[in-house]
Amino acid sequence: MSALDSAHALAAAVAQALYARDPAARQLGITIRHCAPGRAQLAMTVADFMLNGHGTCHGGYLFTLADTAFAYACNSGNEFTVGQHASIDYLRPARAGDTLIAVAREVKRGPRSGIYDVTVLGADDEPVALFRGLSRSRPGTPVINDTAP
């Protein structure tokens, strides 16, 4: 197996380990579409309970989807990494029944921190929200103890 194949297999294994320990994502119906080194793509269908008083998806659910994709991207190398700061810009509403896709990508990674951008796409593949997260690597146990894929 090449180093690239091994890194992709590790990212996929880390995503599965995170998901198994992520009741919030599972409860909201967030699913993993793809994970690779420094990248993640997650999906969520907007349910009726996610709507706000305007009948559109509450911003907190959009943030949660984006933040979850951010977490999976920044932990993809099997390092214990947490969010240090995040911001989101809401561009347009999402509605009940829309399947949203959060596409996270690593912009810059240093020894202790990284910057990640997440685009939340609507049912028509147009951006609904733009999220930027700053990660911080922490000492301690990695996401999975066995680094073999």
Side-chain angles (χ1 to χ4, degrees), residues 21-138:
R21 299 187 317 226
D22 192 347
R26 292 191 317 272
Q27 187 71 25
L28 292 174
I30 295 172
T31 59
I32 301 167
R33 293 184 64 163
H34 177 73
C35 284
R39 297 182 178 276
Q41 191 177 103
L42 278 58
M44 178 183 79
T45 299
V46 179
D48 288 340
F49 74 87
M50 297 176 180
L51 301 180
N52 61 24
H54 298 293
T56 60
C57 186
H58 190 288
Y61 291 107
L62 295 172
F63 188 95
T64 299
L65 174 61
D67 186 51
T68 304
F70 162 53
Y72 284 50
C74 69
N75 280 281
S76 64
N78 197 30
E79 294 180 19
F80 181 52
T81 308
V82 297
Q84 180 175 339
H85 175 78
S87 64
I88 192 165
D89 293 305
Y90 302 106
L91 305 177
R92 64 191 186 97
R95 308 206 181 277
D98 287 354
T99 297
L100 306 175
I101 307 297
V103 180
R105 69 175 183 84
E106 185 176 273
V107 174
K108 174 80 170 130
R109 175 122 180 170
R112 299 234 13 226
S113 63
I115 298 171
Y116 295 80
D117 284 342
V118 182
T119 303
V120 178
L121 301 170
D124 56 2
D125 289 331
E126 290 297 318
V128 170
L130 301 174
F131 172 106
R132 175 162 274 192
L134 174 63
S135 70
R136 188 73 170 170
S137 296
R138 307 287 303 163

